[in-house]
Amino acid sequence: MTLDFKKILALGSAIIVVAVAAYFIMDTGGSGFADADNPAQVALGKQLYAESCASCHGASLEGQKNWRQPLAEGGLPAPPHDQSGHTWHHPDKLLFDYTQRGGQAIAPKGFKSVLPPYN
Ligand code: HEC
């Protein structure tokens, strides 16, 4: 399959939504694979995202203001999950692990993560 850069960017936000859905499906005995072509997974991901993630990452995946700038108390603001961020760069496995185990479990030593675990 050949994808041009624009298509890859457009897929970014779909991937995070599907990743959320697949994580919860995995948790309830489903296949565990993110499938952006599965409308049921995408719909579930949207709902779970709105309930559990939008408070920090934004209702439209836009993230928090100045998300690249470290906070005075340590850590970073929540990054966008749309094409302006870098979530779409990361493989599904890393996104699952980061979300399931929480940022602190995965982050490099010395980094203060704000992302809570969802397990
Ligand atoms: C309390 C605020 C908060 C909530 C709620 C939250 N996040 Fe985050 N998230 C963060 C912050 C802050 C970061 C930046 C890195 C860090 O602190 O570990 C982050 C980073 C991430 C990353 C890594 C992004 C990247 O580009 O590397 C992923 C993936 C992620 N969050 C997914 C989720 C998902 C999925 C949910 C909902 C199930 C969620 N987050 C809920 C604050 C939050």
Side-chain angles (χ1 to χ4, degrees), residues 63-115:
Q64 291 173 325
K65 262 201 280 175
N66 301 322
W67 59 275
R68 288 189 177 88
Q69 217 167 332
L71 301 165
E73 65 271 24
L76 288 165
H81 288 318
D82 63 13
Q83 66 275 16
S84 69
H86 51 71
T87 308
W88 61 273
H89 267 272
H90 303 303
D92 287 358
K93 169 95 173 78
L94 183 131
L95 298 177
F96 288 136
D97 285 351
Y98 208 76
T99 309
Q100 182 177 32
R101 297 172 58 199
Q104 205 58 66
I106 305 280
K109 251 199 161 60
F111 179 78
K112 180 181 168 191
S113 174
V114 180
L115 180 71

Side-chain angles (χ1 to χ4, degrees), residues 25-87:
I25 288 167
M26 198 164 47
D27 209 34
T28 54
S31 76
F33 295 106
D35 178 5
D37 294 326
N38 179 331
Q41 270 190 26
V42 173
L44 178 59
K46 266 192 177 163
Q47 184 196 328
L48 293 168
Y49 179 87
E51 286 168 14
S52 304
C53 321
S55 58
C56 290
H57 291 282
S60 306
L61 311 169
E62 73 275 17
Q64 291 173 325
K65 262 201 280 175
N66 301 322
W67 59 275
R68 288 189 177 88
Q69 217 167 332
L71 301 165
E73 65 271 24
L76 288 165
H81 288 318
D82 63 13
Q83 66 275 16
S84 69
H86 51 71
T87 308

